Amino acid sequence: MKQKAENYVSVDFPSRSSNEGFARTVAACFAAQLDPTLDEINDIKTAVSEAVTNAIVHAYPDTIGKVSMKLRLYQDNSVEIVVRDWGVGIPDVEQARQPMYTTGGEERAGMGFTIMESFMDTLRLRSTPGKGTIVTMRRRIFRRTGVR
């Protein structure tokens, strides 16, 4: 059964590297409604950074394109973050999810999806070559007793 979001926000921005920091900040501010710890907020920021950087570097290697980020808060105290691009897509999703695999040249570590998986509770990846990629991440924020 699909849960209904209690709150949501959507932002679109060009695939410029300067917008990676903006996306991190948006995600952190939005997730702050769940009263996360600093470690939890840093995990979310890191995962968003990886997803957005992938869109900037890999989806639009020779051009500037559109990146969309949708964030939703759910009653179970979780945040869902969807990062989407309409770029070149990923021909082999399973290969792309392997640590150290990259199409970005020697300066790229190839750890983006591994990092996203380690910092979020769930990671779903859908991609169609020539049509783009959708990364959906979810993280539950644990409620702290005695707070609020």
Side-chain angles (χ1 to χ4, degrees):
M1 179 169 90
K2 192 166 182 162
Q3 288 183 351
K4 182 178 171 154
E6 290 195 329
N7 198 6
Y8 61 91
V9 68
S10 178
V11 294
D12 297 332
F13 48 89
S15 62
R16 298 184 191 283
S17 60
S18 58
N19 285 329
E20 179 269 332
F22 167 74
R24 286 171 58 98
T25 302
V26 167
C29 290
F30 189 74
Q33 297 171 68
L34 299 177
D35 194 29
T37 65
L38 285 177
D39 286 340
E40 289 169 327
I41 210 74
N42 284 330
D43 289 353
I44 290 167
K45 287 168 61 177
T46 299
V48 166
S49 178
E50 292 296 332
V52 170
T53 298
N54 278 355
I56 291 167
V57 171
H58 300 290
Y60 304 107
D62 301 318
T63 187
I64 299 296
K66 177 179 163 183
V67 178
S68 173
M69 187 170 71
K70 296 180 190 248
L71 301 103
R72 296 177 186 95
L73 298 180
Y74 292 97
Q75 195 169 21
D76 68 351
N77 225 47
S78 67
V79 60
E80 180 181 75
I81 303 161
V82 179
V83 177
R84 180 178 186 179
D85 67 67
W86 290 263
V88 299
I90 302 170
D92 187 338
V93 169
E94 288 309 311
Q95 183 181 32
R97 289 183 81 152
Q98 296 303 309
M100 308 307 286
Y101 177 80
T102 184
T103 60
E106 290 180 16
E107 71 279 356
R108 310 306 309 178
M111 295 297 292
F113 292 122
T114 302
I115 290 168
M116 286 179 247
E117 282 181 313
S118 67
F119 287 120
M120 302 299 277
D121 295 329
T122 61
L123 172 71
R124 289 190 330 263
L125 176 61
R126 291 188 346 227
S127 190
T128 304
K131 294 189 177 182
T133 301
I134 302 170
V135 175
T136 304
M137 304 175 285
R138 194 155 177 169
R139 172 78 183 253
R140 186 168 181 271
I141 304 301
F142 291 98
R143 297 180 201 266
R144 293 178 276 159
T145 57
V147 177
R148 290 187 212 210

